[in-house]
Amino acid sequence: MLKGVSKLLTGDLLKALCDMGHGDELVIADANFPAYTVGQRVISYPGVDATTILKEIVKLFPLDHAVQEPAVVLDLIPEDIARGYTHADIWDDFTEILQTEYGKDKKLAAMERESFYERSRKAYLVILTGEERLYGDLLLVKGVVE
């Protein structure tokens, strides 16, 4: 344990975040995400929801200001749109957390499912959470510490 550091930020996670370079990508995934299928490195937090871990990570993680879309969610699939879904509630929570830390101009981009999975295969790290809300998957691009 470290003084002043959240218990959620384990040594493995702190090391992975520190080892990431500018432009490396991090996926915070919900409990349904195929993390071990697509992830090169996976750290599991089965009892923690995605927004709780995101709140801790943004305190340490510089978001890339050099890319147009540094925060990307997995978009709604056509079948869910046909069932009447227009928006995932968790996206509002993600946006609020990101805007609180990085500024009101931070918006979420959305990416089609298979494209999101393909991009996740190249991510430096996937954090598999216990998030049960649908579409609780978020990809972040690491920036530089200024």
Side-chain angles (χ1 to χ4, degrees):
M1 300 264 322
L2 296 173
K3 187 175 176 181
V5 176
S6 169
K7 293 180 279 187
L8 291 176
L9 299 175
T10 63
D12 289 342
L13 180 56
L14 288 169
K15 180 174 179 1
L17 294 174
C18 186
D19 288 350
M20 290 176 69
H22 176 249
D24 280 340
E25 297 182 340
L26 162 71
V27 175
I28 298 174
D30 65 27
N32 292 303
F33 191 79
Y36 291 101
T37 301
V38 303
Q40 296 177 40
R41 293 171 195 82
V42 178
I43 296 177
S44 183
Y45 284 87
V48 181
D49 61 72
T51 53
T52 298
I53 197 71
L54 177 61
K55 286 177 188 174
E56 296 303 326
I57 288 172
V58 297
K59 295 174 186 176
L60 308 172
F61 192 88
L63 200 58
D64 197 336
H65 67 278
V67 297
Q68 196 166 26
E69 298 175 339
V72 181
V73 293
L74 186 146
D75 204 358
L76 300 173
I77 61 172
E79 292 81 3
D80 285 339
I81 294 170
R83 291 177 27 201
Y85 285 92
T86 59
H87 182 81
D89 292 339
I90 194 168
W91 296 347
D92 295 331
D93 295 340
F94 286 158
T95 299
E96 182 180 337
I97 294 164
L98 294 173
Q99 288 182 348
T100 297
E101 183 63 30
Y102 303 114
K104 293 292 182 191
D105 64 325
K106 293 301 175 225
K107 307 282 187 224
L108 295 175
M111 182 176 284
E112 181 272 329
R113 178 181 174 176
E114 292 306 318
S115 297
F116 189 93
Y117 288 168
E118 185 59 36
R119 192 163 169 188
S120 297
R121 284 182 178 86
K122 299 173 189 168
Y124 185 89
L125 175 66
V126 175
I127 299 172
L128 177 60
T129 70
E131 180 61 63
E132 294 180 4
R133 291 177 285 178
L134 297 178
Y135 296 97
D137 305 306
L138 174 66
L139 183 142
L140 301 173
V141 183
K142 188 174 182 186
V144 297
V145 176
E146 297 183 52

